[in-house]
Amino acid sequence: MPEPTSPYYVTTAISYPNGPPHIGHAYEAIAADVIARFQRAQGREVRFQTGTDEHGLKMARKAEEQGKTARELADEMSHRFRTMCDALDVKYDRFIRTVEEDHHRASQALWQAMEAKGDLYLDRYEGWYSVRDEAFYDESELAEGEGGEKLSPQGTPVEWTVEESWFFRLSNYGQALLELYDTNPSFLKPDSRRNEMRAFVSGGLRDLSISRTSFDWGVPVPGSDDHVMYVWVDALTNYLTGLGYPDETENMAKFWPADLHLIGKDIVRFHAVYWPAFLMSAGLPLPKQVFGHGFVLNRGQKESKSLGNVTDPLELADRFGVDALRYFLLREVHFGQDGSYSAEAIVTRVNAELANGFGNLAQRTLSMIFKNMDGKVQPVSEPSEADRTLMDEVCLSIDTLQEKFAALSFSEGLEAWMRAVFACNQYVDEQAPWSLKKTDPARMVAVLMTLLDQVRRLAIALRPVVPSSCDRMLDQMKVAADARLYANVATDWLAAAASEGIVLEKPEGVFPRLEQPEEEAAA
């Protein structure tokens, strides 16, 4: 693949911290981190932003229930989300909080730009509002729940709201949005999400209420001290705040428009309808792509407190390992679709592919080099046909992984990577290097060095997904830290390592087999 050189900016949705992080938050953060690491491994300068969305009525009410101020709750819960990212090896460039001063300034600047365009006006809002979704809904979108209760399309309760409000002329942007979807279909992925939003916009857009007066936990509206911004105006602006907007900063020039907003499928409307309309109004370029991924289900069920199936992602990481969890989520779930997890599924997948597959391949290879060659790395001058076939298959699989990862098809990319692992293990069995020491020691060296180089390539390819484990493996192979990019896959590392006199020490496994937790095994 050609090496891209342009800067790359990826963001997650900022998490609403009215409760602790769940597996969905972990999934999105891990996926975005894999994307950022993958793009860095391509040689690109990358900026990755995540954070917490801390304003709004939902936070204000939750704080009141707990006898705290909204800021106290925000500080406490935002810390838990940052802790989750750090524990899961999610390496962000900025963890943004919407309570921060520069974010208030950016949000007010965006508001003033939309106002200057003539797209804001003061009126009275009467309609249905879901506190849990922080979203307004038309009567036609509602369903009836038990006891006649009205529910949003997400199944959350709505309440009738009447108050003075600033409105955004969203109705002016229907045609522009439809043209965006039609002329730039890659703007919103997967295709099913774009089809949903196109149908929504085609049905006609109403102007959007974008301020509240019934509470004060939010960004003040410029010139209207009794109004705070609708939480989604505030939240969406974070993608600009992190680059220094409204100032003409180096980061704004380098990274905006964003290459990718990675979000859950339940908030596509805000990112693919409201956000581009706000940006059009403010005269700012639109992000290049919004991707609405699916949900991660617990044994096929969406997690909820009422079902008692909410899982702390850090507990999963403690039980199975951070890299094991990262690999499972990217390998098991077809990105863009809903997926499911269970303890049994994690153990089965990780043991089959990481422990028994790649881990065993690396351990056998490094152990035989240590035992039979005193750990010395040697060049291979005359590869056999079998050696070349294996090298070609590994390089092809890594090229396929890169193509699939660039398209956010992680499961398919890892499937291609696993084909190379299987090919290497089959090569070991066919060449039987353990039997060559006495009969053909030169051939033994060629086989083991061929395997060593393939393990190096496979570890480099997998680094974005399981960075800690792959780096420990590459450390044992004494591969330099600056030689772990995709561009290094095709380099003649063996010759360079041999000329440097590199000697490998006794290896230690980096992908231990997982044991089934007792409660799941009993079940």
Side-chain angles (χ1 to χ4, degrees), residues 327-341:
Y327 182 84
F328 172 83
L329 289 174
L330 273 291
R331 176 73 170 99
E332 187 80 7
V333 180
H334 289 273
F335 208 61
Q337 302 176 21
D338 290 349
S340 189
Y341 78 96

Side-chain angles (χ1 to χ4, degrees), residues 174-195:
Q175 189 57 42
L177 289 168
L178 292 175
E179 289 176 4
L180 170 65
Y181 305 148
D182 292 342
T183 60
N184 183 15
S186 64
F187 170 76
L188 179 56
K189 289 286 187 176
D191 292 344
S192 58
R193 313 278 186 251
R194 187 179 67 258
N195 293 338

Side-chain angles (χ1 to χ4, degrees), residues 67-361:
K68 301 173 181 175
T69 66
R71 181 58 190 255
E72 286 171 341
L73 178 63
D75 289 345
E76 173 191 337
M77 299 308 295
S78 180
H79 177 73
R80 294 184 67 168
F81 281 82
R82 187 191 293 262
T83 298
M84 178 199 74
C85 287
D86 294 343
L88 296 176
D89 209 3
V90 173
K91 300 297 186 186
Y92 47 81
D93 293 287
R94 177 164 178 183
F95 187 98
I96 195 167
R97 298 185 59 192
T98 55
V99 296
E100 293 166 337
E101 183 178 342
D102 65 336
H103 179 67
H104 282 226
R105 177 170 171 262
S107 300
Q108 290 173 333
L110 185 72
W111 180 284
Q112 289 168 328
M114 296 190 294
E115 188 174 34
K117 181 70 179 295
D119 282 337
L120 306 187
Y121 63 93
L122 194 61
D123 206 335
R124 177 183 177 86
Y125 177 78
E126 294 189 24
W128 296 103
Y129 189 75
S130 167
V131 176
R132 194 178 304 174
D133 298 345
E134 294 284 10
F136 302 96
Y137 291 106
D138 186 77
E139 181 86 33
S140 62
E141 297 180 87
L142 304 181
E144 190 169 308
E146 295 181 7
E149 181 184 34
K150 291 186 179 293
L151 301 175
S152 76
Q154 311 298 333
T156 58
V158 295
E159 55 189 54
W160 187 257
T161 301
V162 179
E163 60 184 306
E164 183 183 69
S165 176
W166 282 94
F167 282 78
F168 172 72
R169 298 186 193 276
L170 184 64
S171 58
N172 285 356
Y173 291 89
Q175 189 57 42
L177 289 168
L178 292 175
E179 289 176 4
L180 170 65
Y181 305 148
D182 292 342
T183 60
N184 183 15
S186 64
F187 170 76
L188 179 56
K189 289 286 187 176
D191 292 344
S192 58
R193 313 278 186 251
R194 187 179 67 258
N195 293 338
E196 291 169 7
M197 290 304 102
R198 199 187 190 292
F200 174 73
V201 174
S202 296
L205 294 175
R206 296 187 176 187
D207 290 350
L208 181 67
S209 170
I210 59 168
S211 76
R212 307 297 302 274
T213 58
S214 55
F215 61 96
D216 61 2
W217 179 237
V219 178
V221 169
S224 298
D225 293 340
D226 54 341
H227 287 252
V228 294
M229 293 183 193
Y230 174 41
V231 66
W232 275 102
V233 177
D234 158 16
L236 291 163
T237 307
N238 94 88
Y239 306 128
L240 295 170
T241 305
L243 301 179
Y245 178 82
D247 298 331
E248 295 180 3
T249 65
E250 180 182 348
N251 279 339
M252 274 295 292
K254 184 183 296 183
F255 292 110
W256 193 261
D259 292 85
L260 176 65
H261 290 324
L262 187 63
I263 61 167
K265 66 179 183 179
D266 54 334
I267 56 172
V268 168
R269 181 187 301 183
F270 305 101
H271 286 80
V273 178
Y274 301 165
W275 183 226
F278 295 162
L279 292 169
M280 290 176 191
S281 176
L284 292 168
L286 306 188
K288 296 174 186 176
Q289 187 172 89
V290 175
F291 191 99
H293 63 77
F295 295 141
V296 179
L297 308 175
N298 187 336
R299 298 180 184 274
Q301 289 184 310
K302 191 173 180 181
E303 292 193 343
S304 71
K305 292 179 181 178
S306 60
L307 291 174
N309 66 346
V310 177
T311 304
D312 181 349
L314 298 191
E315 288 182 5
L316 287 177
D318 287 342
R319 289 166 75 184
F320 303 115
V322 171
D323 277 354
L325 180 61
R326 287 171 63 104
Y327 182 84
F328 172 83
L329 289 174
L330 273 291
R331 176 73 170 99
E332 187 80 7
V333 180
H334 289 273
F335 208 61
Q337 302 176 21
D338 290 349
S340 189
Y341 78 96
S342 67
E344 300 96 321
I346 294 172
V347 170
T348 299
R349 175 73 74 178
V350 170
N351 281 348
E353 300 188 357
L354 290 186
N356 298 344
F358 186 46
N360 186 48
L361 169 68

Side-chain angles (χ1 to χ4, degrees), residues 343-498:
E344 300 96 321
I346 294 172
V347 170
T348 299
R349 175 73 74 178
V350 170
N351 281 348
E353 300 188 357
L354 290 186
N356 298 344
F358 186 46
N360 186 48
L361 169 68
Q363 186 69 9
R364 285 202 292 174
T365 300
L366 297 178
S367 294
M368 284 188 284
I369 293 170
F370 177 77
K371 180 179 178 181
N372 298 314
M373 298 175 55
D374 297 323
K376 295 178 182 177
V377 176
Q378 299 181 31
V380 177
S381 56
E382 294 292 335
S384 72
E385 183 178 348
D387 302 340
R388 292 189 183 280
T389 297
L390 180 66
M391 289 186 280
D392 289 345
E393 186 161 355
V394 170
C395 287
L396 177 61
S397 292
I398 292 174
D399 284 346
T400 301
L401 177 145
Q402 292 182 74
E403 292 168 4
K404 295 297 185 182
F405 272 34
L408 308 185
S409 297
F410 304 112
S411 183
E412 292 85 349
L414 291 172
E415 184 177 353
W417 179 85
M418 274 306 304
R419 287 198 295 271
V421 173
F422 292 146
C424 287
N425 278 313
Q426 184 177 358
Y427 172 89
V428 175
D429 295 339
E430 291 172 351
Q431 300 299 318
W434 51 85
S435 68
L436 293 171
K437 186 172 185 179
K438 291 182 179 179
T439 61
D440 192 347
R443 179 59 190 155
M444 179 199 72
V445 169
V447 169
L448 291 180
M449 289 299 100
T450 297
L451 283 169
L452 178 66
D453 208 23
Q454 306 327 301
V455 169
R456 175 188 69 90
R457 288 169 169 160
L458 290 168
I460 289 172
L462 192 61
R463 277 187 79 225
V465 182
V466 289
S468 177
S469 298
C470 285
D471 278 339
R472 290 202 307 276
M473 184 179 289
L474 291 164
D475 287 345
Q476 292 186 56
M477 298 168 66
K478 301 190 177 179
V479 176
D482 62 356
R484 301 179 184 185
L485 302 178
Y486 285 109
N488 301 116
V489 166
T491 59
D492 189 358
W493 174 80
L494 281 176

